[in-house]
Amino acid sequence: MGGVLLFAFAISASFSSAAKPADKGFDEFGYNYTANLFSGKADGVDRNLDNKVWGDPTYANDHLVMKWSKAWDEARFNGEPWTCDAWENNEWNGASPNGSGEVWHYKIAWVGPEKFNVSGEWKLVFNLGGLYPHTMTITSFDQNTGEFSGTGVYDTDPLYTWTVTGKVDGNKITYTIVYTGTNAGYTVDAVGTISSDGKILDGTWSSIGQNGTWTGSGEATQYNICGREGGERVWGDFLILMDQGTADGVHEWLTHAIPSGYGMAK
């Protein structure tokens, strides 16, 4: 069913490369841009009535209903910012004469870039001609700005305590440590990256007359600004909320986000 999936998504590509027609009502291909709707044989979704869909005849005779929200329409056609209200719906029905025999339903929504929440405990090791283990506990994290704060301690001597403030931007992390116990006022500035699974941090650090490398281990949780869990990312900032259907008489759920409806998660 991967071919149909790509065909269904290609509406985004066609929107981005062509101006939106001004005519109202359905055109000969099946599009009604006033109603944000496509309804007809899938043959017309590529705006080329040749009994094929982007060169492939497999699903050309399937009936396709495609809907998209006003926010999707405004962002795609008019340059408005993408928001959590932007979504697209695709319903394929090949259970008809000359159809593919498959029935499939997809929901896609914009969710923004993937982000990391670094709240919790991290084991940090600073390298300065030797290894110096610390424990950092992030107690406050702002999911809107990526800013965080917390406390820490030098594991070998717990009299060395410190506070930390920082920010996460994508997979980049920056933070500043200020010692509050022994050696109070000593400051360390660090920059680094977060691994794709959110479990490893590494980078470089500097202080007055000193610098080195550092690593961290823990577990950052991934999230998006629309508050959705699960799903499958496409096009970078979009998420397949639902991917389910029937092929060869077998019903399958391939993707099911939480929630799978279009309303923003709370």
Side-chain angles (χ1 to χ4, degrees), residues 20-250:
K20 180 179 177 180
D23 295 340
K24 296 181 179 181
F26 285 94
D27 62 18
E28 67 271 30
F29 304 107
Y31 283 100
N32 185 329
Y33 291 100
T34 302
N36 295 345
L37 173 69
F38 175 95
S39 181
K41 288 178 63 175
D43 179 17
V45 72
D46 59 0
R47 302 188 63 82
N48 183 17
L49 298 176
D50 59 354
N51 294 314
K52 298 178 182 179
V53 184
W54 282 282
D56 187 338
T58 306
Y59 303 101
N61 290 314
D62 291 3
H63 188 269
L64 171 62
V65 176
M66 189 160 49
K67 305 172 185 177
W68 56 96
S69 69
K70 185 177 187 297
W72 182 290
D73 194 72
E74 289 296 321
R76 180 58 64 192
F77 286 118
N78 300 320
E80 294 296 322
W82 287 97
T83 71
C84 298
D85 293 322
W87 55 262
E88 181 194 6
N89 182 83
N90 300 275
E91 299 177 43
W92 291 79
N93 188 347
S96 59
N98 300 316
S100 69
E102 300 183 19
V103 177
W104 223 260
H105 190 185
Y106 305 99
K107 295 180 179 180
I108 309 102
W110 183 91
V111 295
E114 195 156 57
K115 297 174 177 287
F116 289 97
N117 183 333
V118 294
S119 296
E121 184 176 283
W122 291 88
K123 294 296 184 180
L124 305 183
V125 177
F126 293 88
N127 190 335
L128 180 63
L131 302 179
Y132 297 86
H134 292 66
T135 298
M136 175 173 67
T137 304
I138 304 300
T139 55
S140 175
F141 185 86
D142 188 323
Q143 292 199 155
N144 292 319
T145 65
E147 296 177 347
F148 64 86
S149 62
T151 59
V153 63
Y154 176 37
D155 294 348
T156 304
D157 186 346
L159 294 179
Y160 286 83
T161 57
W162 39 271
T163 61
V164 61
T165 56
K167 184 175 183 178
V168 174
D169 184 5
N171 71 333
K172 307 297 183 183
I173 183 171
T174 60
Y175 61 89
T176 298
I177 286 173
V178 180
Y179 278 69
T180 57
T182 300
N183 205 19
Y186 179 72
T187 301
V188 173
D189 293 310
V191 298
T193 58
I194 305 172
S195 63
S196 60
D197 63 3
K199 295 183 178 181
I200 301 295
L201 313 177
D202 61 6
T204 59
W205 66 271
S206 63
S207 187
I208 298 176
Q210 297 177 319
N211 62 80
T213 60
W214 65 276
T215 60
S217 60
E219 188 163 3
T221 56
Q222 296 176 330
Y223 71 97
N224 55 73
I225 63 173
C226 298
R228 296 187 181 277
E229 299 177 5
E232 180 182 347
R233 278 192 173 264
V234 288
W235 313 327
D237 292 348
F238 297 80
L239 196 71
I240 305 173
L241 305 180
M242 187 175 75
D243 176 357
Q244 60 90 17
T246 300
D248 297 324
V250 177

Side-chain angles (χ1 to χ4, degrees), residues 246-265:
T246 300
D248 297 324
V250 177
H251 181 262
E252 295 182 276
W253 276 95
L254 301 182
T255 303
H256 192 186
I258 302 172
S260 61
Y262 296 119
M264 182 175 174

